[in-house]
Amino acid sequence: MPNSSMHRRRVTREQILDAAWGLAREQGLTGWTMRELADAVGLRAPSLYVHFASKYEIYDAMFADGYRTLLAQAEAIELPEDPRAAARTAAQTFVQFAVADEARLNLLFLRVIPGFEPTAASYTLAERVYAQGAEILARAGLTEPADIDLWTAVLSGLATQQVSNDPGGDRWINLVDRAVDLLLDDRRVSPVAEALEAAGNREAPGT
Amino acid sequence: MPNSSMHRRRVTREQILDAAWGLAREQGLTGWTMRELADAVGLRAPSLYVHFASKYEIYDAMFADGYRTLLAQAEAIELPEDPRAAARTAAQTFVQFAVADEARLNLLFLRVIPGFEPTAASYTLAERVYAQGAEILARAGLTEPADIDLWTAVLSGLATQQVSNDPGGDRWINLVDRAVDLLLDDRRVSPVAEALEAAGNREAPGT
DNA sequence: GTCTATAAATGGATAGAC
DNA sequence: GTCTATCCATTTATAGAC
């Protein structure tokens, strides 16, 4: 049994990234060092520089990795036909993803690391997530840029409050569906007019 | 003219804190060192330890200072009589405060510094802010804890998106009033029922 | 209360052998 | 690709003179 070769498998970028995620989860997004990271994958610190030119480059790879995970998760979900139900599901998926890992939330959705800016290539992934969300919203009737901005603010706000003020709980997660309905019902004319119209039609059908 | 004595005034905690805020704004909340801070107030690093036992203690003082500033700002504002207008004004005040200083936003409203936890005394100030907000919301008809949670999520989300994705701009700030209206109109029975009721009363007044 | 001097550890990163 | 050795800057924090 070539035991040693089984244990001495390739130490790929992916393994380093996985370890980095683990450390970030345990000690905070910026709370780990290159030495700790190397230890976590059974290497010495200098060996990391064979795979990544700098710590910032690792953050950038994590940034891209996080958005790739989100995109994969989004594709795996099959959305209901009903646009509102689809928006709810998408929102739930997003918030669950965001609160599942506070370090990841900080890296992907906040600007927390002084001086870190994702590369253009990595940022493209973020834009794809955004575009996909906008598409789902469009099907639900929200096409105005301001509507989409409000949507992103509300969802990111829910996720942030959840991890900041009730970590591990569900106090803000439980508000997601309600928030979605709120946002989808917000059209200038909106349910009031719709309801009045329906009521009017019912009582004066033949005009 | 005792010039030297004019320049060599007391280096108080407040001056150190002011300098710390300045560095945090310029280089990020965690992007400064004790040496830099000392330089900024014309001291040597060791002298800082006369006033603060550690860097964390400085963060804690900044945390308290930030919430004290917010409380003072909230008291200085005179709110309109109309509850909805008051809620709008309060929301505007809060978001303006939050986006005015990204480092402060990170310290006061997010969990960004690994290992930092405000002391109980400092946290009390944060709770006073929360209580004050809840009071304003109560006057506008929002008393459910879930309503208040949603409120805090939306406002913090707007502020966070503003500084993260449009620093210095007003893309999310402009959505504050709309968000407030959205939240205040969200009662289970709410405008739809109200409007229907009104319509019903108009057409069948004498029941 | 502020200083000089320095501890004592830690940081990211490089050189060069294997 | 990984290692040892180490650089070199930087960090928070302390000791003790003034």
Side-chain angles (χ1 to χ4, degrees), chain A residues 27-28 30-31 102 106 109-112 114 130 146-147 149-150 152-154 156-158 160-161 164-165 171-172 175 178-179 182-183 186 188 191-192 195-196 199 203, chain B residues 27-28 30-31 102 106 109-112 114 130 146-147 149-150 152-154 156-158 160-161 164-165 171-172 175 178-179 182-183 186 188 191-192 195-196 199 203:
Chain A
Q27 307 176 15
T30 61
E102 183 174 6
N106 283 336
F109 309 120
L110 273 29
R111 292 265 181 278
V112 151
Y130 176 85
D147 290 334
D149 285 347
L150 188 53
T152 62
V154 170
S156 79
L158 287 168
T160 302
Q161 290 292 306
S164 292
N165 299 323
R171 205 168 127 190
W172 278 269
L175 301 175
R178 196 174 137 198
L182 215 60
L183 291 165
D186 176 46
R188 229 74 44 234
V192 177
L196 279 173
E203 280 158 34
Chain B
Q27 307 176 15
T30 60
E102 183 174 4
N106 284 336
F109 308 120
L110 273 30
R111 294 264 181 278
V112 151
Y130 177 85
D147 290 333
D149 285 347
L150 188 51
T152 61
V154 169
S156 81
L158 287 168
T160 301
Q161 290 293 305
S164 290
N165 299 323
R171 204 167 127 190
W172 277 269
L175 302 175
R178 195 174 137 198
L182 216 59
L183 291 165
D186 176 47
R188 228 78 41 235
V192 177
L196 279 174
E203 280 158 36

Side-chain angles (χ1 to χ4, degrees), chain B residues 107-176:
Chain B
L107 179 61
L108 268 53
F109 308 120
L110 273 30
R111 294 264 181 278
V112 151
I113 304 175
F116 170 68
E117 206 72 54
T119 59
S122 299
Y123 196 72
T124 299
L125 293 166
E127 284 172 334
R128 278 176 51 194
V129 167
Y130 177 85
Q132 208 180 47
E135 198 182 312
I136 293 168
L137 284 183
R139 280 200 281 270
L142 290 196
T143 53
E144 297 284 318
D147 290 333
I148 301 172
D149 285 347
L150 188 51
W151 171 270
T152 61
V154 169
L155 292 195
S156 81
L158 287 168
T160 301
Q161 290 293 305
Q162 182 60 59
V163 298
S164 290
N165 299 323
D166 181 36
D170 58 7
R171 204 167 127 190
W172 277 269
I173 288 176
N174 288 336
L175 302 175
V176 171

Side-chain angles (χ1 to χ4, degrees), chain A residues 13-28:
Chain A
R13 282 174 60 104
E14 286 80 51
Q15 286 180 24
I16 294 172
L17 284 184
D18 283 350
W21 280 121
L23 287 170
R25 270 188 290 271
E26 289 163 20
Q27 307 176 15

